[in-house]
Amino acid sequence: MKWKTTDICDEFGMDLEVCQQEFHSYGGKKQFFGPISTVRVFEDNVLVEESLETIPEGNVLIVDGGGSKRYALLGDRLGEIAVRRKLAGVIINGCVRDTADLAQLDVGILAIRSNPLRSKKDGKGDLGITVTFGGIDWRPGEYVYADEDGVVVGPKRLL
């Protein structure tokens, strides 16, 4: 199936929210979409790993890391979990590491930037809640569409 966020916006613009956060693409897939699952953490990726291991196949994990640039919330090991579990992608309001390895993985990964420092391991945060960043309320069950032109969110599957 061929699609672009620009075409989705042209057809469904009134039903969509366009993310204002700038992301860099780190995964092997530059285009991905799926239902949203969420986790909110701060400089701690224990719940990110738990989410990757438990959310449904085909989902996109939205990680609200508070925009912190001090630690990476996802690296090669967690990226491989996303591939093994057949997730569509991961969008991180925070950092990643192991970027050369992530680029080889068949999954979409967007993040603010990279940072070589691993995160804390306290297990603090929230799962499956509405998170807000980039001018969007990211609600579990809604759909996200991401490609080279941007990230848009709609209340239902559009493709």
Side-chain angles (χ1 to χ4, degrees):
M1 166 188 340
K2 191 167 171 101
W3 60 272
K4 299 187 300 187
T5 55
T6 53
D7 293 339
I8 291 171
C9 285
D10 289 349
E11 187 170 347
F12 301 102
M14 298 304 292
D15 297 324
L16 300 174
E17 294 180 273
V18 177
C19 185
Q20 302 303 307
Q21 175 68 51
E22 289 186 41
F23 293 107
H24 297 281
S25 179
Y26 293 99
K29 282 190 176 177
K30 304 303 177 201
Q31 180 186 65
F32 59 96
F33 77 95
I36 292 171
S37 292
T38 64
V39 60
R40 180 174 53 207
V41 297
F42 189 72
E43 300 179 353
D44 181 334
N45 75 349
V46 171
L47 293 181
V48 175
E49 181 174 4
E50 180 179 320
S51 296
L52 291 169
E53 289 284 10
T54 59
I55 67 172
E57 179 179 316
N59 275 31
V60 176
L61 180 61
I62 306 300
V63 179
D64 183 1
S68 174
K69 297 174 185 166
R70 297 190 320 177
Y71 299 95
L73 297 174
L74 182 135
D76 58 349
R77 191 177 62 80
L78 296 189
E80 289 168 0
I81 293 170
V83 172
R84 177 178 48 82
R85 300 239 21 269
K86 298 182 174 122
L87 302 182
V90 183
I91 299 175
I92 302 172
N93 184 26
C95 296
V96 297
R97 67 187 209 159
D98 303 314
T99 59
D101 296 321
L102 294 178
Q104 303 304 311
L105 298 178
D106 189 28
V107 66
I109 300 171
L110 299 179
I112 295 174
R113 61 180 264 194
S114 63
N115 185 316
L117 290 175
R118 69 178 177 171
S119 75
K120 298 174 187 174
K121 307 292 183 197
D122 298 325
K124 296 178 182 174
D126 299 292
L127 299 169
I129 62 166
T130 298
V131 297
T132 303
F133 64 87
I136 292 182
D137 292 330
W138 304 83
R139 295 174 187 89
E142 292 190 345
Y143 276 75
V144 60
Y145 305 84
D147 67 7
E148 297 87 347
D149 288 313
V151 178
V152 298
V153 173
K156 60 184 179 181
R157 184 179 173 129
L158 301 172
L159 299 176

